[in-house]
Amino acid sequence: GSYLKYFFVFDSPGIPYKQLTVGVPKEIFQNERRVALSPAGVQALIKQGFNVVVESGAGEPSKFPDEQYTQAGAAIKDVKDVLASDLLVKVRAPTFNPALGIHEVDLMKDASTLVSFIYPAQNPELMDMLSKKKTTVLAMDQVPRVTIAQGYDALSSMANIAG
């Protein structure tokens, strides 16, 4: 009995989803019409207990108005609130925001998680900035293109949508 008690002291429960905010910013890369999460994707995360914040107008180029996101359970916030989320989902890698005169990484919360296309080998300066922020980065372009990972294969899903 005492061994088990000792063992479970180290069994960290992690952070409950309801304490985590997932942020969906508007893509600022020129002519980028995609958004990282559709209202249906938001709804799935809300159902799991996450809080989701979507930047106002983020879905417009993809024909998803803000109302669809609020109906799915997301809160519509401004760019600074969204970029300060615990988990940030973006299509394009963070970049300098000319409208705000600041790099998106500088608006990110320390030790947050970023899920995006990053192309780490081509972006050493960006990787350096993210590392200084202690960001956990999930580079969608680095997901192997194998059958077992097909559900996470962003290129396949983009080809599917385009088709």
Side-chain angles (χ1 to χ4, degrees), residues 69-126:
Y69 286 104
T70 49
Q71 283 162 9
I76 301 296
K77 300 273 185 139
D78 78 348
V79 61
K80 290 180 180 171
D81 286 333
V82 173
L83 289 173
S85 300
D86 301 300
L87 194 153
L88 197 61
V89 289
K90 278 180 87 342
V91 176
R92 299 283 186 152
T95 186
F96 182 78
N97 184 322
L100 297 174
I102 190 168
H103 200 286
E104 288 178 316
V105 172
D106 293 328
L107 295 170
M108 287 169 60
K109 180 177 174 174
D110 285 352
S112 63
T113 299
L114 170 68
V115 181
S116 180
F117 285 89
I118 294 288
Y119 303 100
Q122 290 99 301
N123 289 310
E125 304 85 6
L126 176 62

Side-chain angles (χ1 to χ4, degrees), residues 13-88:
I15 299 170
Y17 291 164
K18 65 178 180 289
Q19 287 174 24
L20 291 173
T21 299
V22 177
V24 185
K26 187 176 170 70
E27 297 294 329
I28 58 173
F29 190 88
Q30 196 176 357
N31 299 328
E32 178 57 74
R33 303 184 62 79
R34 294 173 295 175
V35 62
L37 272 180
S38 67
V42 166
Q43 200 168 14
L45 288 175
I46 300 275
K47 202 175 275 180
Q48 296 207 1
F50 288 97
N51 298 301
V52 181
V53 293
V54 177
E55 183 181 342
S56 181
E60 293 291 342
S62 301
K63 305 282 186 273
F64 297 128
D66 287 353
E67 304 81 74
Q68 286 185 20
Y69 286 104
T70 49
Q71 283 162 9
I76 301 296
K77 300 273 185 139
D78 78 348
V79 61
K80 290 180 180 171
D81 286 333
V82 173
L83 289 173
S85 300
D86 301 300
L87 194 153
L88 197 61

